Amino acid sequence: MTVPKTGPTVLHTTVTDPLARPLLDELTYEYSTRYQRPVDLSLECPAHAFAPSQGGAFVLLLEDGEPVAGGAYRRHDAATAELKRIWTHSAHRRRGLARRVLTVLEREAAVRGYTRICLTTGPRQPEARGLYLAAGYRPLFDPTAAPESVGPLPFDKHLVTPRP
């Protein structure tokens, strides 16, 4: 008898966890390729910003012990968490994994008292733009404008306080 899969498991961890390295390396490569410039994620946002003690979180989705997606948030201000590094491994896309990462991060941020989430994605990331719009994020730019004419694409979303 075959046991049905329930989907990837959620691991709350740190950016420095060796399990995160393949996803972060692929993310760095993709950003560098899409934007045709070197990218150093640690300069943009240091690992400690995602620590729970700093008001942040970093999660991975694991399937058979291997990372397939992940993401993080950091404290933006007392009421707002900022999403960063939402990523799905290229071999596991089109399965709703990034949406699941968003759901996990939103729920956790709400439990920790945040009432709003903000994020910025790049103009050369139409998949990310589509994900955030489909997940109810409000574009803080003219969505009818050509993304390259806007530059970084900011979004926000108000969180629903979870019920006990």
Side-chain angles (χ1 to χ4, degrees):
M1 180 171 139
T2 305
V3 177
K5 278 190 153 191
T6 59
T9 57
V10 176
L11 174 66
H12 289 78
T13 188
T14 65
V15 173
T16 57
D17 186 324
L19 281 172
R21 183 58 27 217
L23 284 177
L24 296 175
D25 286 348
E26 188 180 44
L27 174 61
T28 299
Y29 174 78
E30 185 133 348
Y31 282 175
S32 297
T33 302
R34 285 191 189 204
Y35 294 99
Q36 300 170 352
R37 63 176 170 76
V39 172
D40 184 342
L41 296 175
S42 65
L43 293 177
E44 173 215 338
C45 188
H48 73 271
F50 303 118
S53 63
Q54 300 298 310
F58 184 80
V59 300
L60 293 174
L61 296 186
L62 302 179
E63 195 166 78
D64 299 324
E66 295 297 318
V68 294
Y73 66 78
R74 66 180 176 175
R75 182 182 191 275
H76 181 74
D77 61 39
T80 309
E82 180 184 16
L83 291 179
K84 302 296 281 181
R85 301 185 181 148
I86 307 297
W87 190 249
T88 300
H89 186 283
S90 59
H92 297 278
R93 293 183 180 155
R94 312 293 306 162
R95 296 176 44 203
L97 298 174
R99 182 65 176 258
R100 181 157 179 220
V101 169
L102 274 181
T103 300
V104 168
L105 292 173
E106 288 172 359
R107 203 172 287 142
E108 181 171 317
V111 165
R112 294 192 68 190
Y114 291 112
T115 58
R116 179 177 167 263
I117 287 188
C118 68
L119 66 96
T120 303
T121 193
R124 295 183 185 170
Q125 296 167 250
E127 309 89 345
R129 180 182 177 195
L131 169 68
Y132 300 128
L133 289 171
Y137 283 77
R138 178 176 61 121
L140 303 175
F141 59 93
D142 178 358
T144 64
E148 291 282 342
S149 72
V150 175
L153 307 175
F155 291 85
D156 79 348
K157 182 177 185 178
H158 291 277
L159 296 172
V160 176
T161 305
R163 295 178 188 204

